[in-house]
Amino acid sequence: MSFEAPHGVIAPILTPFNDDLSIATDLYVGLAQQLFEQGCAGLAPFGTTGEALSVGIDERIAAIRALIDGGVDPAKMIPGTGLSNIADTTRLSRACLDLGCSAVMTLPPFYFKGVSEEGLYRYFAGLIKAIGPDARIFLYHIPPVAVVGIPPSLAARLHTEFPEQVVGIKDSSGDWDNTRELFDIGGLIVYPGSELPLIDALQLGGPGCISATANINMVEISKVVGLFDAGDIEAARAQQDRIRDTRLTIQEYGPIPAQKRLLAMRTGDARWANVRPPLGPLSESRGQELAEALNTGQ
Amino acid sequence: MSFEAPHGVIAPILTPFNDDLSIATDLYVGLAQQLFEQGCAGLAPFGTTGEALSVGIDERIAAIRALIDGGVDPAKMIPGTGLSNIADTTRLSRACLDLGCSAVMTLPPFYFKGVSEEGLYRYFAGLIKAIGPDARIFLYHIPPVAVVGIPPSLAARLHTEFPEQVVGIKDSSGDWDNTRELFDIGGLIVYPGSELPLIDALQLGGPGCISATANINMVEISKVVGLFDAGDIEAARAQQDRIRDTRLTIQEYGPIPAQKRLLAMRTGDARWANVRPPLGPLSESRGQELAEALNTGQ
């Protein structure tokens, strides 16, 4: 079975927590349903935005199951499953694929720093062998957080060696030169991890983007894709300029706590503001400031 | 039950792998037994040297069980159990404590970078609550690898707040000023993560050190403690100078692959040279070079 890339905006959905910091399944399913109603092409649960590395393996599996029970089509989900070792990453990836998820997104092993490209290659080769021939993997390149990255030469080697299994890459480097280089790898699906270069990515034949801000700005970001698809590049560019400020303002306030506070304000459900340590929540007063900054900016 | 710190040299035991990269339990138990015969005060399995983060949760539990089945007293073990989230770290820590390990050693959550000290505090507070009142934790400060560290002010706050649970810290910063500052925290057990400042640590009332090089140089490092305990500081210093070169040479060749290659050469069991990706093994020729450098240096 070949992999079909969702076309449009994929949301790395936030993970809501109850006051005891267990996953708030009701809010999670509710946001997922809303994002699809707003036109999202797919979900990437448990990315960095979803506080993935603050959530245990079994917790993640239960949460993905809850989304499916809540009506989300698993074929439209690419959950993050990357841990720092093959055994645990395999267990989590296998569970997601067995639940019907179309692919999984995996970080490089991110504990040891300064490792060789050969070592990273052998890690992914071992992971693919352990998951099995039906592995469908998006590489997750996010050096600002993981420190360990996936250089284009490694992505190319992995895709060439495992064309059926290494289907794509999410590039959250924030470095367009890096993203552009990835588009030269024939057959590799490339999503930038931000809406800022969305049109550039679409023009290079990319299917869309995976953007944190999609959690609170899905409709507006999707419009860029709609206008682009309709051939109105000028209007698409104008729309992209409009959503740019929202992205930059959110980033300035710390994307995860900021978006969660905004959702708490919008929905009236204070649980949305909860984050797991080591992150801390955005205070109500800073949330007010943020809301005003967003209103002024748009 | 209060915690009694092992006095002397604790070995962060290397994790041997078969050619299929499963854990070579026979070699593991053999090395553990040998280290105790050579005078080690305790074992710290699954530290950075034990390639902990390249080993899955269930694999770690099975390996600790194998050591116990092989005759190692669990009360002399402080296994590393630190993952990046509370749920998984709790499961692994609970399993080790239930097996009778005297304490566990936990990293700070190391995925998100640049987090606040308050966020790290809340992480450890949550972890201690989740493990339960019989939690016995050594904090593991190793910023050169984990990037996220545990500043002395945080260690002090945690030990003050949870004196029974946060019993000590391993300081692998390589920064003596940091280690010395930790010794000012009353009641906190401090092990430097190297034998280089061993006498300084003993003079400040510390129980010893936890050193990677103990895997291949246990007898010689232990002599420093023996001489110090006998009151012969001058001879202890001379011995510490002698072992210094070994440490520095090993570090230069990459401590994990280097020591594994040396063990492969010493034992004649080639499996000892295996490492898990993303690390790569030290080649045989480099191993020869290393052995010669060690012979010349001593």
Side-chain angles (χ1 to χ4, degrees), chain A residues 48 53-57 59 84-85 87-88 91 107 109-113 115 119 122-123 142 145 147 277-280, chain B residues 48 53-57 59 84-85 87-88 91 107 109-113 119 122-123 142 145 147 256 277-280:
Chain A
T48 300
L53 276 302
S54 301
V55 180
I57 297 173
E59 289 182 299
S84 64
N85 69 82
D88 289 339
R91 183 160 89 79
L107 290 160
F110 52 90
Y111 183 67
F112 289 112
K113 309 302 185 294
V115 296
R122 289 195 306 114
Y123 176 87
I142 182 165
V145 185
V147 180
L279 298 186
Chain B
T48 299
L53 276 301
S54 302
V55 180
I57 296 173
E59 289 181 299
S84 64
N85 69 82
D88 289 339
R91 181 159 90 79
L107 290 161
F110 52 91
Y111 183 68
F112 288 112
K113 309 302 186 294
R122 289 195 304 114
Y123 176 87
I142 181 165
V145 185
V147 181
I256 300 165
L279 298 186

Side-chain angles (χ1 to χ4, degrees), chain A residues 12-15 17 45-53 55 256:
Chain A
I13 184 171
L14 291 158
T15 307
F17 300 114
F46 298 116
T48 300
T49 302
E51 293 171 74
L53 276 302
V55 180
I256 300 165

